[in-house]
Amino acid sequence: MLNLSMKWRIGLGVTILVILAIGAVSLLAYAEYKEGMLGSLDRRLKNSTSMIQDLFLKNDPLVDSDQRLKETFVLFPNLNEVDYKIWFEGDEVLFCNRPAMDSLSDQILSENPDIEWPKGRFVTNVTCQGEPLRALWAKSKVHINEETPDRELNIIGYLSTANIHKEEKEFLQEILIIGGLVIWGGVIGMLTILRWGLRPLDQLIAQMEKISRNPTQEISLESPAAVKELLSFITSWKQMLKRLSLAMDEHKRFTSDISHELRTPMATVKSTLQLARSQRRSVEYYEQTLDRSLEDLDRMNQLIDKLLELSRLENGALARAVESIEMKDFLEKLIVKYQPIVAGFGKKLQSTLCSVTISGDRLLLEQLMTNLLDNAVKYSSEASVISVQMKKKHSFLEIIVHDEGGHIPLEEQANIFKRFYRVDKARSRDSGGLGLGLAIADEIVQLHGGTISVVSSCDAGTDFVIMLPLMPPKNELIEGE
């Protein structure tokens, strides 16, 4: 199939419809014209034969019939336009003004063996000596007198249709010429209208070509391209470009961050080993050097593992075992396990739980809570209290992990769930974090159809708020999502 543009596809489709419409109208006009021309001939033949029948019905047909016919043709010149053959059934021909047509009745009978005579007339097309004719054969009963039985009068009138066929051909040629001109003019006009109508789309394409070189360029909804039919497309397109721009910025930042995160331990290991090799050292020094190098390499290994885990979460490639989870029992066991870790930092862990069931992956939810509790332990103040609160909110479960840690500025709160994003002082590398815990937590929450947000102030501390949908009915639970 030809790869035609939208303009040509619409134009071709409309052109075909126009041609079909003009063709149908032309055929109808031609048929009506032809029928009208033949109808005109038939009326002339009918009127002429009726006048001759009336002549025989009003007068004695046995007295000077031939003379009266000649006188009638003189009185009514229009009768001379038609050629006739007149005779009584079983007798010789009374009148025939064209001897060549004498055998016309035999020809009509041979070509139409089953003639019916509605109202005493029969109309047909015949050819005599190569000339096309329209013939009307009329029969009527003529009463002569009481002593003589009624006789059947036959009148055949005929007219040449050569001129009609010629006019039909001329009319058909005129229709074809006019139809061709109309189609040609219609195609030119339609293409002009399409070019004007699709101009906003061409302008939009021009903008898209410019934006292909600069994806962050804005599109003006007040531009000529912003016609009503394109507004929804332009709006969706702007949103797509905005997401694309954010994704590109995120990709650039991620590439920069990952380079920095990997380059730092690599540089440390390299410089440490180079320093150890620069001169002879003691065994203890070599052991310390190897230990520090192993720590940096272990950090790099953890970072790679976390990145792979985050990538699998984002791409949905991580296998999930969805099940019904009673969250009160789940969190109680997790808090009991985490209590010694919190106590080791000189802090307390409290909880306020309620009985709620959700649908989720137990291992992923455990990792989510572990990341948030690790974050709270690292950045909360000394001898402070960390709390986990649970409550129902409509069709969602709300979990709040609270700590009395450093304040996260409002302008930073929207970014803390991004990979490698660190708030100054509150999230330094000295704490041992990789900058991926909250990003992984955000992905886990999204996989469960929920949301996670942060609320932080200098006085109240920091709250991480998780909203998870409650357990749906059994027939709506999709296992293995």
Side-chain angles (χ1 to χ4, degrees):
M1 184 176 180
L2 294 177
N3 188 17
L4 299 176
S5 65
M6 182 187 298
K7 185 186 303 180
W8 279 103
R9 289 176 187 232
I10 296 174
L12 184 61
V14 175
T15 300
I16 292 174
L17 291 177
V18 170
I19 291 174
L20 291 176
I22 292 177
V25 172
S26 299
L27 288 175
L28 181 62
Y30 176 74
E32 290 290 334
Y33 178 80
K34 183 176 180 180
E35 184 178 350
M37 294 293 289
L38 290 176
S40 177
L41 282 184
D42 293 343
R43 285 191 295 272
R44 289 168 61 187
L45 290 171
K46 180 180 177 182
N47 292 335
S48 300
T49 53
S50 296
M51 292 179 67
I52 296 173
Q53 284 177 332
D54 292 341
L55 174 66
F56 278 88
L57 291 173
K58 291 178 181 178
N59 300 282
D60 188 349
L62 302 179
V63 181
D64 297 329
S65 298
D66 185 65
Q67 181 63 30
R68 287 203 305 270
L69 280 171
K70 293 178 180 178
E71 293 174 356
T72 303
F73 289 135
V74 173
L75 292 174
F76 301 98
N78 60 314
L79 291 177
N80 293 302
E81 298 175 359
V82 183
D83 294 323
Y84 300 95
K85 177 184 177 182
I86 305 171
W87 76 97
F88 281 108
E89 193 74 32
D91 286 351
E92 296 181 356
V93 176
L94 292 175
F95 180 84
C96 182
N97 54 356
R98 288 184 67 181
M101 306 297 180
D102 189 42
S103 61
L104 192 60
S105 57
D106 295 333
Q107 182 182 343
I108 293 174
L109 287 172
S110 64
E111 293 178 359
N112 303 277
D114 301 323
I115 295 179
E116 295 182 1
W117 301 89
K119 298 183 180 180
R121 293 186 179 86
F122 175 74
V123 181
T124 185
N125 294 315
V126 293
T127 302
C128 184
Q129 294 181 343
E131 182 181 9
L133 302 172
R134 184 74 168 173
L136 185 147
W137 187 345
K139 288 188 175 187
S140 59
K141 295 288 184 180
V142 177
H143 179 70
I144 299 175
N145 51 50
E146 298 297 334
E147 298 176 356
T148 305
D150 295 345
R151 305 187 70 180
E152 189 172 54
L153 178 68
N154 290 269
I155 304 173
I156 295 180
Y158 43 88
L159 284 167
S160 174
T161 59
N163 288 334
I164 290 181
H165 293 319
K166 181 180 178 181
E167 292 179 6
E168 286 176 359
K169 291 180 180 178
E170 292 176 352
F171 181 74
L172 183 60
Q173 290 175 354
E174 291 174 358
I175 285 180
L176 292 176
I177 293 172
I178 294 173
L181 292 175
V182 170
I183 292 172
W184 178 256
V187 170
I188 298 299
M190 180 186 55
L191 290 177
T192 303
I193 294 172
L194 281 175
R195 188 178 295 110
W196 171 77
L198 295 176
R199 186 180 300 166
L201 191 59
D202 294 334
Q203 294 172 346
L204 190 60
I205 292 172
Q207 288 193 48
M208 293 176 72
E209 290 176 351
K210 292 180 181 178
I211 291 173
S212 65
R213 295 187 291 271
N214 182 12
T216 59
Q217 180 176 333
E218 284 291 325
I219 305 172
S220 173
L221 290 178
E222 289 75 29
S223 67
V227 294
K228 183 178 180 181
E229 290 79 6
L230 292 177
L231 283 179
S232 58
F233 170 74
I234 293 175
T235 302
S236 300
W237 186 32
K238 287 188 68 176
Q239 294 173 352
M240 179 196 70
L241 289 178
K242 185 177 180 180
R243 292 194 298 269
L244 178 61
S245 178
L246 291 174
M248 291 177 67
D249 291 341
E250 176 70 15
H251 176 71
K252 291 178 181 177
R253 192 182 65 80
F254 172 73
T255 303
S256 176
D257 289 343
I258 191 65
S259 299
H260 176 72
E261 293 289 337
L262 291 175
R263 187 184 296 114
T264 300
M266 286 288 291
T268 303
V269 171
K270 184 177 180 180
S271 61
T272 301
L273 294 177
Q274 286 176 340
L275 181 63
R277 196 175 183 278
S278 62
Q279 59 182 348
R280 291 186 177 276
R281 309 282 185 176
S282 64
V283 175
E284 291 79 5
Y285 182 86
Y286 286 129
E287 289 177 349
Q288 293 174 2
T289 299
L290 291 174
D291 289 340
R292 287 195 299 270
S293 298
L294 288 173
E295 289 177 1
D296 289 330
L297 292 174
D298 185 58
R299 175 181 172 81
M300 289 175 59
N301 187 57
Q302 292 180 29
L303 177 61
I304 293 171
D305 288 342
K306 290 292 184 181
L307 285 172
L308 289 174
E309 181 181 351
L310 184 58
S311 177
R312 288 195 296 268
L313 285 171
E314 289 177 341
N315 296 325
L318 192 64
R320 296 178 56 202
V322 178
E323 59 181 300
S324 175
I325 302 174
E326 212 295 312
M327 290 301 291
K328 181 178 181 181
D329 180 64
F330 172 78
L331 288 178
E332 281 180 346
K333 294 179 179 178
L334 182 62
I335 289 171
V336 168
K337 185 168 60 175
Y338 217 82
Q339 282 284 7
I341 300 174
V342 177
F345 285 87
K347 303 172 185 180
K348 294 182 180 180
L349 179 59
Q350 299 177 349
S351 63
T352 304
L353 308 177
C354 62
S355 181
V356 174
T357 302
I358 69 168
S359 175
D361 186 302
R362 188 177 295 271
L363 292 178
L364 291 181
L365 290 175
E366 183 174 348
Q367 184 178 4
L368 164 67
M369 296 305 300
T370 300
N371 287 355
L372 293 179
L373 289 173
D374 282 343
N375 194 72
V377 170
K378 291 174 184 176
Y379 304 120
S380 60
S381 56
E382 296 182 4
S384 62
V385 177
I386 300 170
S387 65
V388 178
Q389 301 176 23
M390 252 177 67
K391 57 183 175 181
K392 291 182 182 178
K393 272 199 173 181
H394 306 294
S395 59
F396 284 85
L397 164 65
E398 181 183 68
I399 303 174
I400 301 175
V401 179
H402 173 79
D403 68 79
E404 299 173 0
H407 170 55
I408 302 175
L410 183 62
E411 61 274 12
E412 305 282 355
Q413 292 178 13
N415 298 317
I416 64 172
F417 296 103
K418 296 180 180 178
R419 288 170 289 195
F420 301 116
Y421 193 88
R422 298 175 184 275
V423 180
D424 290 345
K425 298 180 181 180
R427 300 186 68 195
S428 66
R429 187 179 285 106
D430 296 337
S431 64
L434 297 172
L436 293 173
L438 292 180
I440 292 174
D442 183 46
E443 288 295 331
I444 293 174
V445 171
Q446 289 186 40
L447 282 175
H448 286 79
T451 61
I452 183 170
S453 58
V454 62
V455 179
S456 181
S457 66
C458 296
D459 299 328
T462 301
D463 288 343
F464 283 92
V465 183
I466 304 168
M467 301 293 291
L468 297 174
L470 295 178
M471 177 74 178
K474 290 184 178 180
N475 59 344
E476 295 182 9
L477 183 61
I478 302 176
E479 296 292 339
E481 282 191 343

